[in-house]
Amino acid sequence: MEPVSKKKRRRTPRRLLWLLALVVLLALTLSGVLLLQRQEESVPYTATVTGGQLMDKETGEVASMTITRRDGEAYTLLQRTEGVLTLEEDETFVVSDLHAPFMLTAGSTVPYQDILAEDKEAYAQYYPEFGLDEPLTVEVAYTDGSSICLYIGSQGPLEEDSWYYMTVEGDSRLFAMDQSIVDELDLSRARLYGVVQPTIHQARLDAITFTGEDGELLAQWILEGEITDANAAGHWRMTAPWNYPADEEAMTTLRQNLANLRLGAYVEEATPENMATYGLDHPRFVLTLHMAAGTTGTVDEAGVYTTTDWPESTFVMTVGGEKSDVVDYVLVDGSVYLSSHFSLSVFMDMDVKNTVSRYPIMVTLDELASMTVEDANGTAVYQFIRTERVAANNELVTDENGEVVWDVTCEKNGEEISYTAFSASWEQLWNVRVSGWLPDGFTVTEPVHTTLTFVTQSGQTHTLALAPYDALHDSVIVDGTALFYLISGGLALAFP
């Protein structure tokens, strides 16, 4: 929804200003000056009344409101159910709760700030200056058969004026209407719609897909494992255009941006005709998000923590044509909306290479069940046996976070070795970063000289292999995919 600046309703009579203006007008009249140039003329103010209302109805007595804006847009709202405004031609189009109560209140009472002139002849010649030659028109009909028609012109002549000129059909007076009321009545049809923002939970995302024109698959990422896993944020994998581990930090940023997606103003129902009109029959981009079933928690102002269970769901946003350089048409759940081009370009113009991990080791030491190393020295198999630490009272030992403490035994080819020494070597291996990208379309042709096979405690298997690329570098092959090269010797293994 377009941001709406909600101004506090003010009643700021300018009796002193208008009385001074009246004195000036009388002085000019006595001196024989009948007309002044537009830049010098004084508005024929009077200040006989300060504030009031033209109607005395209940909000439930408003039957309809017909609004014709200065740009020619016109629509009629009906109050079929008390407190609810809907479009005359579309009962499913419900005016947002942000606007409906204020509009009904304004329509039932028609408040004004002041009366500026009593006689139409005194101000009729100034219609263009007052903006009343092309006004905003608001016609309110009531359940008793009566009605009122308002013509709202331009803002007052002074920069600090917070009122607009207004006339009423069948009334000779010139009124000042408060700006806050005009702001709520001068709304485009699209801005009235109660846009429900998408619910996208970063923690529940487990699949992200970007599709381009003609259904081309641009990129896809999936979560390996469950959203409740301890290190779920580090278990994302790109499956298109390459099958490769994703960078944890990049994926966290991507998921945060997705969770912040917002819809702008409602445009129309997504009929086949409207789909073609807004370029949605041949979209430029489609964003598909899958969220696993899960539970989220919130803390209210009173500090009470509550949880909400969410079912498995899929969110799809289709990007069509451009309305302008800053706004695009999008399709969500059968309706066409506007959306910020800048928020969408984060995904549409994203270089997906930046989400690929530059670290070839994709398994943490805590997850590791076994590692097999095959190189020129032969084959070495490292296995890890984890047992829960039990205290003298036969209770499990926990750390400061309440997590169970595990004792780990490390074996190499069946013989026990120092786990502490292995951990120190693993830390060096974990921090190895690739040197650069291999050329597009590169194929490994040289024989592999080093292979590491990792098996996790959950049973997943990952491989890291090295093969000569040039005289100074090795190609890095992760789970069968070679995207990067590494300086020769960069993966030196010094395990005990």
Side-chain angles (χ1 to χ4, degrees):
M1 179 181 294
E2 297 177 20
V4 178
S5 178
K6 297 291 291 182
K7 299 181 177 62
K8 185 177 180 180
R9 298 182 68 176
R10 295 177 293 175
R11 303 186 67 83
T12 54
R14 302 186 179 278
R15 296 175 61 89
L16 179 59
L17 175 62
W18 296 341
L19 286 170
L20 290 175
L22 180 60
V23 171
V24 172
L25 178 62
L26 291 173
L28 291 175
T29 303
L30 292 174
S31 64
V33 179
L34 300 178
L35 294 174
L36 297 175
Q37 293 297 323
R38 181 173 180 178
Q39 293 81 359
E40 302 173 347
E41 64 193 13
S42 297
V43 177
Y45 290 136
T46 63
T48 56
V49 179
T50 300
Q53 60 186 55
L54 297 173
M55 302 299 295
D56 186 18
K57 307 281 188 181
E58 298 295 330
T59 56
E61 296 180 77
V62 176
S64 67
M65 300 183 72
T66 299
I67 296 175
T68 304
R69 305 183 70 221
R70 295 178 181 87
D71 61 5
E73 181 187 27
Y75 55 84
T76 297
L77 303 174
L78 303 182
Q79 187 176 197
R80 296 179 172 96
T81 303
E82 186 167 353
V84 180
L85 287 173
T86 59
L87 273 182
E88 181 179 38
E89 68 275 17
D90 183 1
E91 192 171 351
T92 64
F93 186 116
V94 178
V95 176
S96 167
D97 289 339
L98 185 67
H99 302 296
F102 199 103
M103 297 179 76
L104 287 170
T105 299
S108 62
T109 59
V110 191
Y112 59 86
Q113 194 177 87
D114 279 280
I115 297 176
L116 307 181
E118 295 282 353
D119 189 355
K120 186 174 183 179
E121 292 183 0
Y123 63 86
Q125 60 183 318
Y126 301 110
Y127 260 48
E129 285 77 3
F130 295 164
L132 292 168
D133 54 338
E134 295 181 356
L136 164 71
T137 303
V138 180
E139 184 175 1
V140 185
Y142 304 97
T143 55
D144 62 5
S146 61
S147 64
I148 188 171
C149 187
L150 316 176
Y151 302 101
I152 301 171
S154 56
Q155 195 169 1
L158 301 181
E159 185 175 348
E160 65 271 21
D161 283 334
S162 59
W163 54 268
Y164 282 69
Y165 295 104
M166 180 185 73
T167 60
V168 178
E169 188 173 290
D171 194 317
S172 64
R173 293 172 292 179
L174 177 67
F175 299 91
M177 174 172 268
D178 192 279
Q179 179 178 347
S180 63
I181 300 175
V182 178
D183 288 345
E184 284 294 342
L185 296 177
D186 191 13
L187 293 173
S188 67
R189 175 179 176 273
R191 287 180 59 187
L192 293 173
Y193 190 78
V195 177
V196 178
Q197 296 298 338
T199 301
I200 302 173
H201 294 134
Q202 176 182 339
R204 291 176 52 226
L205 287 170
D206 62 1
I208 303 167
T209 305
F210 292 172
T211 307
E213 296 180 3
D214 301 322
E216 177 190 5
L217 181 60
L218 300 178
Q220 186 174 59
W221 302 264
I222 62 169
L223 178 66
E224 294 184 316
E226 304 296 329
I227 61 173
T228 53
D229 290 347
N231 190 34
H235 288 170
W236 280 88
R237 171 176 290 271
M238 172 178 278
T239 58
W242 312 284
N243 186 352
Y244 209 85
D247 180 77
E248 179 176 348
E249 184 176 346
M251 292 305 298
T252 298
T253 299
L254 174 59
R255 291 184 297 124
Q256 288 173 342
N257 289 334
L258 290 169
N260 289 328
L261 270 176
R262 292 293 179 269
L263 298 174
Y266 172 83
V267 180
E268 288 187 277
E269 181 185 357
T271 62
E273 181 181 358
N274 289 336
M275 291 278 284
T277 299
Y278 301 118
L280 292 162
D281 53 344
H282 296 289
R284 291 179 292 149
F285 188 81
V286 179
L287 170 65
T288 305
L289 308 177
H290 184 270
M291 286 173 279
T295 302
T296 60
T298 57
V299 179
D300 62 20
E301 295 179 355
V304 178
Y305 181 80
T306 57
T307 60
T308 303
D309 295 327
W310 300 89
E312 176 185 9
S313 60
T314 300
F315 172 79
V316 180
M317 175 181 280
T318 303
V319 182
E322 300 177 350
K323 181 178 181 181
S324 68
D325 291 340
V326 296
V327 179
D328 295 322
Y329 292 105
V330 299
L331 168 68
V332 174
D333 290 337
S335 296
V336 181
Y337 299 87
L338 297 177
S339 187
S340 165
H341 176 74
F342 300 109
S343 64
L344 296 176
S345 63
V346 171
F347 313 111
M348 297 171 66
D349 301 335
M350 186 175 75
D351 186 351
V352 297
K353 280 186 174 182
N354 293 331
T355 66
V356 175
S357 177
R358 267 59 169 177
Y359 296 92
I361 305 300
M362 71 296 295
V363 178
T364 66
L365 183 55
D366 289 340
E367 297 173 312
L368 194 60
S370 69
M371 179 180 74
T372 301
V373 180
E374 300 173 82
D375 57 16
N377 297 319
T379 300
V381 179
Y382 298 85
Q383 291 183 313
F384 306 90
I385 299 92
R386 293 175 170 83
T387 56
E388 298 170 325
R389 186 178 298 179
V390 181
N393 61 1
N394 207 34
E395 293 184 358
L396 294 178
V397 177
T398 58
D399 59 19
E400 63 275 8
N401 298 319
E403 301 291 335
V404 174
V405 176
W406 295 79
D407 291 319
V408 184
T409 301
C410 179
E411 295 182 352
K412 176 182 179 181
N413 294 334
E415 297 183 5
E416 184 174 345
I417 62 174
S418 169
Y419 179 71
T420 301
F422 182 92
S423 298
S425 298
W426 176 269
E427 188 67 20
Q428 298 178 23
L429 183 66
W430 176 258
N431 288 303
V432 170
R433 184 180 170 92
V434 298
S435 304
W437 278 86
L438 292 167
D440 290 341
F442 174 81
T443 301
V444 177
T445 57
E446 297 295 325
V448 171
H449 60 74
T450 302
T451 301
L452 282 71
T453 303
F454 309 93
V455 179
T456 68
Q457 295 186 65
S458 61
Q460 292 182 323
T461 299
H462 299 283
T463 60
L464 167 61
L466 301 177
Y469 169 54
D470 58 24
L472 299 176
H473 302 90
D474 289 326
S475 56
V476 180
I477 311 164
V478 176
D479 288 344
T481 301
L483 295 181
F484 301 101
Y485 61 82
L486 176 69
I487 189 169
S488 297
L491 199 67
L493 304 178
F495 290 104

